[in-house]
Amino acid sequence: MHVPEEIRAEAAALIDHHALGLWKPNDADRRAAVALFRFLETGLPLTGEQIRSVLAHTEPAAAMTERLLNLLRGTAGLLDDAPVAEGPAGRDAVDHVCLLLDALALSRRSDR
């Protein structure tokens, strides 16, 4: 999944599922989102390398929700393709992923 429209649609679906309470991110999801959110707080654009680094250095990626893991991997691939990532559809897709990361990073644990 490196197609911007697919990434945008999946990010939007996960945002909706999270907002409606249909998807409760687990701790691994949240930790990955917080780590990526810290990159976003610098004001610099997110990169594919940052996403891969977070996936490699947080707890095993296998503990993450499969849809989120696939979305992040796809987003990393999209960001590696600069001409596509910098186009309107690419920017929109990455913006939606960033909105999802914001929501997850700021969410409370599901056991509280």
Side-chain angles (χ1 to χ4, degrees):
M1 171 179 39
H2 299 259
V3 178
E5 293 79 9
E6 292 175 5
I7 291 171
R8 183 201 176 283
E10 183 65 4
L14 286 174
I15 290 168
D16 289 346
H17 284 120
H18 181 254
L20 295 171
L22 301 174
W23 170 50
K24 301 209 183 328
N26 64 35
D27 289 339
D29 298 335
R30 199 171 293 97
R31 279 192 278 279
V34 167
L36 290 168
F37 184 75
R38 288 190 181 127
F39 285 121
L40 295 172
E41 287 182 316
T42 67
L44 298 172
L46 192 60
T47 67
E49 186 57 36
Q50 290 168 331
I51 293 172
R52 283 187 291 279
S53 175
V54 164
L55 294 178
H57 292 99
T58 57
E59 66 186 79
M64 291 178 63
T65 302
E66 188 68 27
R67 285 180 72 180
L68 179 60
L69 182 59
N70 288 337
L71 176 67
L72 292 176
R73 287 178 178 155
T75 303
L78 171 66
L79 290 168
D80 290 340
D81 187 352
V84 175
E86 292 170 6
R91 285 193 309 269
D92 190 41
V94 174
D95 286 348
H96 274 75
V97 171
C98 290
L99 287 172
L100 174 63
L101 294 173
D102 289 350
L104 295 181
L106 298 173
S107 68
R108 294 169 36 166
R109 290 176 45 162
S110 59
D111 62 347
R112 290 185 183 181

